[in-house]
Amino acid sequence: MTVCLDQLRRCHVAVDLGAARTRVYVKGSGLVVDQPSVAAVNTRTGALIAVGEFAEKMTGRTPAYIRVARPVSGGTVVDIEMAQRMLRHLLGEKLRRSLRRKPRLRAAACTPHDADPLAQRAAIETLVGLGARRVELVDTLVAAAVGCGLPVEQPEASMIMVCGAAATQIAVLSLGNIVTAERIPVGGEAVDHAIVQHLRHEHALMLPSQSVRPLQLALSGNGLTPHGPASTEIQGRDVATGLARSVKVDTAAVRNAIQTPLTAVLDGIGKVLRDCPPDLVADLADRGIMMVGGSALLPGLDQMLRQATGMPVHIAERPDICAVQGLGAMLEGRIQPLTLDPLAA
């Protein structure tokens, strides 16, 4: 593994700070926090008004003196103080007291692949501010592969694609380490943005700031495949008049608008396979790609990848929580490293 399993077994809590959601796993208790990475602040007093789901509902609906902040962007903490305050409120006083009783609190955190030292330091500082005496960092790709049950410790290839809100990470793993990997700055938010821009330019319709989950509205049925409904009705605000109105949108045109950001994902898969040793690529022809992350549930995405690559594509059972579940498995000691018998002299 890229991080010592013995050190991870000594950790008491694991945190996955994502651009969309924050998840916390406590050793012995399981997943205790799964909330949006959002906080609402009173700009006059500096007081924290709400965090998590309630703060997310306030997006675009607040008066001028309330600011809705997202302290995590692209898997990297961009506002350490706000991230610490958000985590404290998400954990709650009772859980924080139980963690403070640990004589030397240790924590583990996910970091994006090839995160720069500044991003790693920000993750460490965030957890140190919660009382952690030591912080172990684990690559999100490795944690997610462990969480979805891939045999990462075996001498065989496993390909994983972490579809996040702000970025997509693709890697081939073998013997507990990453053989080759690529990080593409295209995620679920880019797909949402492509749909919003399409509706604005083609129909002069502006969606609410929360987008009312345009993917579920415009891609109902079979999603990216042409077998879905021919059209769907979407409500929004007219760009010219500012009045509310609804339009019928051709889903085929929406699918074409989505193809542009997803082309970068296909290019990333091709680059990872080109950089991978031929023996491992031969393994992947049978095993295929495992998709995890919240954006892996984009309707029809797996079918599109299957057609573009000719490889089997699978979606994890709970793709959104695979990374934190993988960290939890390491904390609980359920992952055993591959042991090799020394050759006899």
Side-chain angles (χ1 to χ4, degrees):
M1 303 292 289
T2 53
V3 68
C4 182
L5 285 174
D6 289 336
Q7 295 291 343
L8 284 173
R9 290 192 191 103
R10 297 173 187 170
C11 293
H12 306 97
V13 62
V15 179
D16 178 17
L17 280 168
R21 298 184 74 86
T22 294
R23 299 175 177 93
V24 180
Y25 185 104
V26 175
K27 192 173 185 178
S29 301
L31 187 65
V32 296
V33 173
D34 184 1
Q35 294 279 340
S37 304
V38 188
V41 186
N42 186 325
T43 56
R44 295 172 180 171
T45 63
L48 201 60
I49 298 173
V51 295
E53 291 181 355
F54 187 52
E56 188 175 47
K57 290 178 181 177
M58 297 168 66
T59 305
R61 305 170 187 271
T62 60
Y65 68 92
I66 295 179
R67 178 173 65 94
V68 177
R70 293 182 177 270
V72 185
S73 175
T76 302
V77 178
V78 293
D79 188 339
I80 296 174
E81 181 185 357
M82 186 60 66
Q84 290 174 349
R85 295 175 69 185
M86 180 186 72
L87 271 176
R88 289 192 196 102
H89 281 76
L90 288 176
L91 287 172
E93 183 62 31
K94 183 178 179 181
L95 185 54
R96 291 208 313 272
R97 278 203 304 267
S98 67
L99 291 176
R100 281 199 297 264
R101 293 193 191 104
K102 309 290 183 185
R104 288 184 61 85
L105 180 63
R106 291 172 175 249
C110 287
T111 55
H113 179 68
D114 283 345
D116 57 62
L118 191 61
Q120 295 179 359
R121 189 66 191 172
I124 292 172
E125 289 293 334
T126 300
L127 297 185
V128 167
L130 294 177
R133 302 290 295 275
R134 183 184 176 96
V135 179
E136 304 288 346
L137 299 180
V138 182
D139 196 304
T140 302
L141 290 164
V142 176
V146 170
C148 64
L150 291 179
V152 294
E153 294 295 339
Q154 300 303 314
E156 55 191 39
S158 300
M159 189 169 187
I160 188 165
M161 187 167 85
V162 180
C163 307
T168 300
Q169 303 174 69
I170 307 161
V172 174
L173 300 96
S174 180
L175 289 172
N177 280 284
I178 296 173
V179 178
T180 178
E182 190 74 15
R183 186 168 182 260
I184 303 105
V186 173
E189 291 176 353
V191 175
D192 284 2
H193 182 71
I195 295 176
V196 170
Q197 291 302 309
H198 169 77
L199 295 175
R200 184 183 180 96
H201 295 314
E202 297 298 326
H203 300 278
L205 191 74
M206 186 183 297
L207 290 182
S209 59
Q210 297 187 51
S211 304
V212 204
R213 295 314 303 160
L215 297 181
Q216 281 70 16
L217 290 170
L219 297 178
S220 56
N222 292 318
L224 300 181
T225 64
H227 307 295
S231 63
T232 185
E233 190 170 336
I234 295 183
Q235 294 182 343
R237 191 182 76 185
D238 190 282
V239 173
T241 65
L243 300 176
R245 71 181 176 95
S246 61
V247 296
K248 273 203 168 184
V249 179
D250 182 10
T251 53
V254 175
R255 284 194 293 270
N256 291 334
I258 287 176
Q259 295 297 331
T260 301
L262 293 182
T263 300
V265 176
L266 293 176
D267 292 342
I269 293 175
K271 186 177 187 305
V272 168
L273 292 174
R274 286 194 300 272
D275 295 342
C276 193
D279 291 342
L280 294 181
V281 175
D283 289 347
L284 295 175
D286 297 327
R287 295 191 179 88
I289 306 171
M290 178 65 76
M291 293 174 59
V292 302
S295 299
L297 299 173
L298 175 64
L301 177 59
D302 55 334
Q303 298 179 38
M304 190 198 76
L305 293 178
R306 203 174 290 119
Q307 292 173 0
T309 62
M311 298 167 59
V313 179
H314 315 282
I315 301 177
E317 185 177 349
R318 288 293 308 276
D320 52 338
I321 61 171
C322 281
V324 73
Q325 291 283 34
L327 282 179
M330 297 178 197
L331 264 62
E332 304 284 3
R334 294 196 294 266
I335 306 300
Q336 298 297 327
L338 180 67
T339 56
L340 300 175
D341 294 330
L343 297 175

